Amino acid sequence: MLDRWQLIDRETNKVEMEGTLQEILEELDVPSPEEISNQYTLTKPQIHSTEEHEKRKANE
């Protein structure tokens, strides 16, 4: 499985893009993460265990 990343807009705190690091860099047309605008934060999404997910799903 490929590592997933999220590009988050610092002003709105919303996820602008999600994908592999390579996909995000290609979409932004930058050669490396260091070249991404300061407007954005590049982060890994939170990974929740299957058990936690099932508990939340049952409570909905």
Side-chain angles (χ1 to χ4, degrees):
M1 183 176 147
L2 297 171
D3 285 337
R4 301 302 287 177
W5 289 84
Q6 290 178 334
L7 187 71
I8 300 172
D9 187 316
R10 290 182 185 201
E11 285 185 22
T12 62
N13 203 30
K14 291 187 178 179
V15 175
E16 293 292 320
M17 193 181 312
E18 189 169 344
T20 66
L21 183 56
Q22 188 63 39
E23 289 169 343
I24 292 172
L25 293 177
E26 286 176 5
E27 185 70 28
L28 295 174
D29 196 27
V30 294
S32 68
E34 291 81 19
E35 300 294 320
I36 295 174
S37 166
N38 288 338
Q39 178 184 350
Y40 299 106
T41 300
L42 189 62
T43 186
K44 289 236 180 215
Q46 288 285 32
I47 299 173
H48 300 287
S49 73
T50 304
E51 184 176 313
E52 287 178 27
H53 177 73
E54 290 302 319
K55 283 180 187 175
R56 281 196 314 271
K57 194 173 176 183
N59 289 333
E60 289 180 354

